[in-house]
């Protein structure tokens, strides 16, 4: 009997987590057996003793258990320590697989029980809109201009190798098989053998990369998710959405436009990454296109097997017959099979198209020589001929299956797979433009000009048809590289279609000139055409990152829109303006509370400015995996946006380990894609009167809290002498910089300053030592000061939580972060700081703030303990804690040895494996 048939898997029973515990025990037993067989009984018993001791310490906080664990682990030689680290790291990875499969199991159990739609599902969202009285025409208008776009990025918090991720997927498939199928004894035994083999492969696979990833490695990693998930699940999501719409609004014929797209930064994001060049951009697009064509060719081949329909039994359309005749297939075996002949012709044209776009493609052969497709629309037109013909003779069911999914895939993925965004830091643009102007004799020192003079000069140059660039001038290597990127983008758009590259993003935007500098570079590269009605081929997207820049963002955009030339560019792009908001750097700059509030206020101000200028705003949210970088549940994060900030269009980054967690398997991927679509519809159309009222009612309170939190955070991080030293010594930030987990350097500049450190290693380091400081610091001081000034303020704060989704989401994320902190473990990392006075001063301050934050958070939430209303996550953390604690303990011990002079490769590898294991245990760590 499969587990779905048992009473314990009924959604209403209290033992619904029994299958999860069974799976974890099964995988844990297999791992233990593998450890015993591969490393010997003695090491197996050592790992078991550490595990039992850690469980006793985690569950009962026995001091003697802590001492016993130290006695077991501290003296371990490096080889034995590495075995222990690998054992606990792999157990956490296996637990992740089991949990993910359990989430799938629970969703299926609810579906089988026909439970009411759950939050985050498309049926729930559509039911809510119907209950709110949203008319079919209103919904259709929104969907007609909607865009929902998760954008994959290559930020280095994904510590798992692809070979291990593939093995994880196999284990997940085997668990799924045990869940869904009623296995015979032989089949069950075979499943056991395959699981055992998969764990053995895991144990014998190197956990770490021997060399740092390059950009093309990251491209290959990113596009693997299309093969695993997006190719199948995005077309299915479209079909599901249309079916759900027809059920609720049968008066309309629903045919959704390609509103859901997956984008990428991988290969185009050169902010602080010198390894992204014009050549890597071109290679990234070639790899993407090859993946798309491989999918299309495989699907066309499969359709050829499925549609062996004979004219003896049907009457195809004239258009279908003509398509079959053009294929040049003279085989008598297929003379009466027009669909197969038409598909053979389509396949031949696909092969010719791919060969033309990428001559280095391994040769594939069509039946006859064929003309390549001019673009993806031409391929879509041929597929539409097949679909129309099938429907004409009563075979609509055949058209609605694989063929319909392929039609949607071609519409969504085109000949480019995913649009690649270009991104660069504004400082680089300044230097490039300054050199162009200087060598052209236009301005000797552009960088020295004040903002107003820069804007005037750039505006004049943008109106001129005269180029600044000359092939006869000798430019610096940086300028040549920047111009080459835009040249490559122009060529790729011409070859792969306009959808291949759509957005150019300027990091660290702080003024109008930053946007005009990009416009000038686009003009010099043929991507912007000046004149009375200037036109740009791509969107110019500012990225506001620091607290100060967020506060000025609306003012900056207002000044831009007031420039006739720029406003004309926006008009030519459909009167739409995309603005990107930086969660990570604003958090590092001003702390969690202030960052969240300034982002929220900036969105409100940007909505108002765009509305005043007749421009539709699309926000691009630069979220990371951790709460400290804007992470947290996507559904509630989108619903917590201010009124008018979504309006049917949203883009957000999917970064690091979040990509594999969300999209590593088809079922999980489809669920997360559905969540994004459902949340976007609700945030755009559901009634939100309470949100607007909450902003008016509580803005003064939030301003007060934010100001106090900002002062507390800045006082610690930027104003405390020696804090940078404390951070460097009490965390693994230096070791993370040496870990081969991404192509991008850990810092923008070679310095120890917090300002120059990237937000990713900043957050990642604090999570490794279990402090999670970027996700909560400053909140306790803010509430303490507010309550001292307002003795009845707790009532207001509780009212804010109850009536304002923004504040509720903020508190929920902090609840999760605090539950993942462990001050006892953090104290061991503090002991790594060599200056005892500095150590005591800063760590005691952090502890005091943590206690204040926890106390005030629980009081506002009206809870006695953290995660009181999230039993699933609470149990997950309880399960993981005993397996992470030994990893943290060993990480500290190995760091001591390393920093005392033992720099052997074996020791460094041990440290890096602990980083990997702890990241696996925390999941959203970077």
């Amino acid at each position: 009997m499969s587990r779905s048939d048992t009473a314990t898997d009924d959604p209403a029973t209290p033992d619904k987590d029994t299958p999860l515990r069974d799976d974890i025990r099964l995988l844990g037993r297999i791992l233990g057996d593998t450890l015993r067989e591969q490393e010997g009984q003695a090491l197996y018993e050592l790992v078991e003793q550490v595990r039992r001791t850690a469980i006793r310490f985690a569950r009962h906080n026995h001091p003697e258990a802590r001492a016993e664990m130290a006695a077991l682990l501290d003296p371990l030689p490096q080889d034995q320590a590495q075995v222990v680290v690998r054992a606990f790291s792999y157990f956490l990875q296996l637990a992740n697989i089991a949990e993910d499969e359990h989430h799938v199991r629970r969703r299926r159990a609810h579906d089988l029980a026909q439970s009411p739609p759950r939050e985050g599902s498309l049926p729930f969202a559509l039911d809510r809109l119907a209950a709110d009285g949203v008319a079919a025409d209103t919904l259709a208008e929104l969907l007609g201009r909607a865009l929902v776009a998760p954008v994959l990025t290559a930020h280095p918090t994904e510590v798992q190798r692809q070979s291990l991720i593939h093995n994880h997927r196999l284990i997940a498939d085997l668990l799924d098989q045990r869940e869904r199928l009623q296995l015979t004894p032989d089949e069950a035994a075979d499943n056991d053998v395959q699981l055992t083999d998969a764990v053995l492969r895991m144990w014998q696979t190197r956990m770490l990369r021997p060399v740092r990833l390059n950009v093309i490695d990251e491209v290959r990693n990113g596009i693997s998710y299309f093969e695993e998930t997006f190719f199948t699940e995005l077309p299915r999501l479209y079909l599901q959405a249309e079916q759900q719409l027809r059920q609720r609004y049968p008066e309309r014929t629903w045919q959704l436009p390609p509103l859901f797209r997956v984008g990428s930064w991988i290969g185009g994001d050169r902010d602080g990454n010198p390894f992204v060049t014009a050549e890597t951009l071109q290679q990234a697009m070639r790899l993407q296109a090859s993946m798309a064509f491989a999918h299309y060719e495989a699907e066309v081949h499969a359709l050829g097997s499925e549609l062996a329909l004979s004219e003896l039994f049907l009457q195809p359309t004239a258009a279908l017959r003509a398509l079959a005749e053009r294929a040049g297939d003279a085989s008598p075996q297929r003379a009466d099979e027009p669909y197969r002949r038409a598909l053979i012709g389509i396949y031949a044209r696909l092969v010719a198209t791919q060969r033309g776009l990428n001559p280095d493609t391994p040769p594939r052969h069509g039946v006859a020589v064929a003309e390549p497709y001019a673009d993806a629309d031409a391929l879509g037109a041929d597929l539409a001929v097949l679909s129309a013909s099938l429907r004409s003779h009563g075979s609509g069911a055949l058209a609605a299956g694989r063929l319909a999914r392929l039609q949607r895939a071609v519409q969504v993925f085109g000949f480019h797979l995913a649009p690649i965004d270009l991104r660069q830091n504004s400082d680089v643009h300044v230097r490039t433009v300054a050199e162009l102007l200087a060598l052209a004799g236009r301005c000797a020192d552009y960088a020295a000009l004040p903002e107003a003079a820069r804007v005037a000069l750039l505006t004049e140059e943008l109106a001129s048809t005269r180029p600044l660039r000359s092939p006869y001038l000798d430019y610096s290597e940086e300028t040549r590289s920047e111009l080459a990127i835009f040249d490559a983008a122009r060529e790729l758009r011409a070859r792969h279609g306009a959808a291949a590259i759509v957005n150019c993003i300027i990091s660290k935007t702080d003024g109008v000139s930053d946007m005009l500098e990009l416009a000038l570079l686009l003009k010099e590269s043929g991507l912007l055409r000046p004149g009375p009605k200037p036109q740009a081929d791509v969107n110019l997207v500012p990225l506001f990152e620091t607290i100060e820049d967020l506060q000025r963002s609306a003012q900056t955009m207002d000044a831009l829109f007031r420039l006739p030339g720029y406003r004309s560019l926006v008009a030519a792009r459909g009167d739409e303006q995309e603005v990107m908001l930086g969660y990570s750097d604003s958090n590092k700059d001003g702390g969690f509370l202030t960052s969240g509030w300034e982002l929220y206020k900036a969105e409100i101000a940007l909505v108002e400015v765009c509305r005043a200028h007749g421009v539709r705003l699309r926000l691009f949210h630069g979220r990371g995996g951790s709460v400290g970088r804007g992470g947290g549940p996507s559904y509630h994060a989108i619903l917590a946006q201010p009124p008018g900030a979504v309006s049917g269009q949203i883009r957000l980054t999917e970064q690091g380990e979040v990509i594999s967690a969300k999209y590593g398997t088809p079922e999980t991927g489809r669920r997360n894609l559905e969540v994004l679509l459902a949340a976007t519809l609700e945030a755009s159309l559901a009634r939100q009167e309470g949100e607007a009222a909450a902003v008016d009612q509580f803005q003064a309170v939030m301003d007060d809290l934010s100001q106090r939190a900002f002062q507390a955070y800045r006082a610690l991080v930027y104003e405390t002498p020696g804090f940078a030293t404390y951070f460097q010594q009490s965390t693994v930030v230096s070791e993370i910089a040496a870990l081969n987990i991404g192509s991008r350097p850990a810092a923008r500049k070679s310095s120890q300053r917090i300002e120059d450190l990237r937000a990713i290693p900043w957050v990642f380091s604090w999570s490794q030592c279990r402090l999670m400081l970027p996700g909560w610091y400053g909140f306790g001081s803010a509430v303490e000061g507010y309550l001292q000034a307002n003795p009845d303020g707790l009532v207001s704060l509780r009212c804010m939580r109850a009536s304002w989704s923004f504040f509720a989401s903020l508190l929920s994320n902090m609840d999760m972060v605090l539950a993942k902190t462990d001050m006892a473990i953090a104290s061991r990392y503090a002991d790594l700081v060599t200056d005892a006075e500095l150590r005591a001063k800063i760590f005691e301050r952090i502890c005091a703030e943590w206690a204040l934050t926890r106390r005030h958070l629980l009081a506002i939430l009206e809870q006695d303990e953290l995660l009181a209303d999230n039993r699933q996550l609470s149990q997950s953390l309880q399960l993981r804690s005993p397996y992470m604690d030994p990893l943290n303990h060993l990480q500290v011990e190995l760091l001591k040895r390393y920093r005392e002079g033992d720099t052997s490769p074996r020791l460094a590898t041990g440290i890096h494996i602990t980083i990997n294991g702890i990241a696996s245990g925390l999941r959203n760590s970077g």
Side-chain angles (χ1 to χ4, degrees), residues 287-305:
L287 287 170
Q288 287 192 177
S290 293
M291 175 72 77
F293 278 101
H295 176 70
Y296 299 156
E297 288 160 4
E299 291 299 291
V300 168
H301 182 76
L303 279 169
S305 298

Side-chain angles (χ1 to χ4, degrees), residues 200-417:
L200 176 60
R201 278 194 300 273
M202 179 186 289
W203 185 259
Q204 294 185 340
T205 298
R206 177 175 20 85
M207 190 179 288
L208 302 175
R209 302 179 182 94
V211 295
R212 183 175 292 276
L213 281 177
N214 61 43
V215 177
I216 297 306
D217 292 329
E218 292 173 334
V219 171
R220 290 193 176 96
N221 287 349
I223 64 178
S224 70
Y225 292 97
F226 287 82
E227 186 175 27
E228 294 289 341
T229 297
F230 297 130
F231 278 145
T232 58
E233 302 313 314
L234 264 179
R236 285 179 180 171
L237 180 60
Y238 277 104
L239 295 173
Q240 175 195 355
E242 288 171 354
Q243 180 184 33
Q244 295 286 342
L245 286 164
R246 282 193 291 268
Q247 288 177 359
R248 288 160 178 80
Y249 299 95
E251 66 274 17
R252 289 189 66 97
T253 300
W254 294 94
Q255 183 67 37
L256 291 179
L259 61 94
F260 211 119
R261 296 182 180 270
V262 178
S264 177
W265 274 14
I266 312 173
D269 178 16
R270 59 200 191 281
D271 178 16
N273 192 341
F275 307 110
V276 175
T277 64
E279 182 180 353
T280 55
L281 175 63
Q282 291 166 330
Q283 193 172 352
M285 187 59 72
R286 284 197 297 270
L287 287 170
Q288 287 192 177
S290 293
M291 175 72 77
F293 278 101
H295 176 70
Y296 299 156
E297 288 160 4
E299 291 299 291
V300 168
H301 182 76
L303 279 169
S305 298
E306 291 179 5
L307 298 180
L309 312 181
S310 172
E311 284 190 90
L312 296 173
F313 312 113
L314 52 86
Q315 185 72 23
T317 62
L320 189 279
R321 282 202 180 95
L323 194 61
E325 290 301 318
R326 288 198 300 271
D329 177 20
S331 170
Q333 298 289 344
R334 294 183 288 271
D336 67 331
E337 297 173 345
Y339 288 98
R340 292 187 74 184
R341 287 190 288 127
L343 286 160
I344 284 170
I346 291 172
Y347 187 93
R349 294 192 70 184
L350 276 171
V351 170
T353 307
Q354 184 175 12
R355 190 177 294 122
L357 289 175
N358 184 6
D360 298 330
T361 301
R364 293 184 175 89
H365 301 287
V367 169
V369 176
E371 288 292 320
Y373 285 110
D375 51 36
D377 288 342
L379 169 60
D382 278 359
L383 296 175
V385 169
L386 268 72
S387 179
S389 182
L390 286 169
R391 296 179 192 280
S392 74
H393 53 68
S395 300
L398 300 181
R402 186 187 299 273
L403 177 57
R405 293 194 295 272
L406 176 57
Q407 287 179 278
R408 182 61 79 173
V410 171
Q411 191 181 36
V412 172
F413 303 116
F415 289 166
H416 62 285
L417 188 71

Side-chain angles (χ1 to χ4, degrees), residues 4 49 60 117 147 188 209 477 507 529 630 639 720 745 821 897:
S4 291
Q49 190 176 358
H60 307 293
L147 175 68
R209 302 179 182 94
E477 181 179 350
S507 298
R529 291 169 295 285
L639 291 186
T720 299
T821 62
R897 298 178 193 177

Side-chain angles (χ1 to χ4, degrees), residues 38 72 105 114 262 305 438 472 476 485 512 518 552 644 833:
Q38 297 296 309
L72 286 168
R105 176 189 296 126
Q114 296 185 326
V262 178
S305 298
Y472 307 108
S476 66
I485 283 278
V512 171
L518 173 60
R552 291 203 311 255
V833 179

Side-chain angles (χ1 to χ4, degrees), residues 504-583:
C504 288
I505 301 163
I506 311 114
S507 298
K508 214 183 78 173
T509 302
D510 61 10
V512 171
S513 63
D514 292 329
M515 294 284 282
L516 300 184
E517 286 154 6
L518 173 60
L520 185 63
L521 294 175
L522 293 174
K523 175 198 163 194
E524 295 299 317
S525 305
L527 290 167
L528 186 152
R529 291 169 295 285
K533 293 184 177 180
Q535 290 188 323
D537 293 334
V538 295
N539 298 319
L540 287 77
V541 183
L543 168 51
F544 299 107
E545 298 181 88
T546 67
I547 298 299
E548 186 177 357
D549 292 342
L550 285 169
Q551 291 171 339
R552 291 203 311 255
S553 60
Q555 178 184 344
T556 299
M557 297 310 300
D558 181 61
L560 264 171
F561 293 144
R562 291 180 186 279
L563 295 175
Y566 186 82
R567 185 63 183 83
S568 295
L569 288 176
V570 175
R573 299 292 296 171
D575 281 321
E576 289 186 348
Q577 173 69 59
E578 183 168 305
V579 174
M580 186 172 183
L581 303 174
Y583 288 67

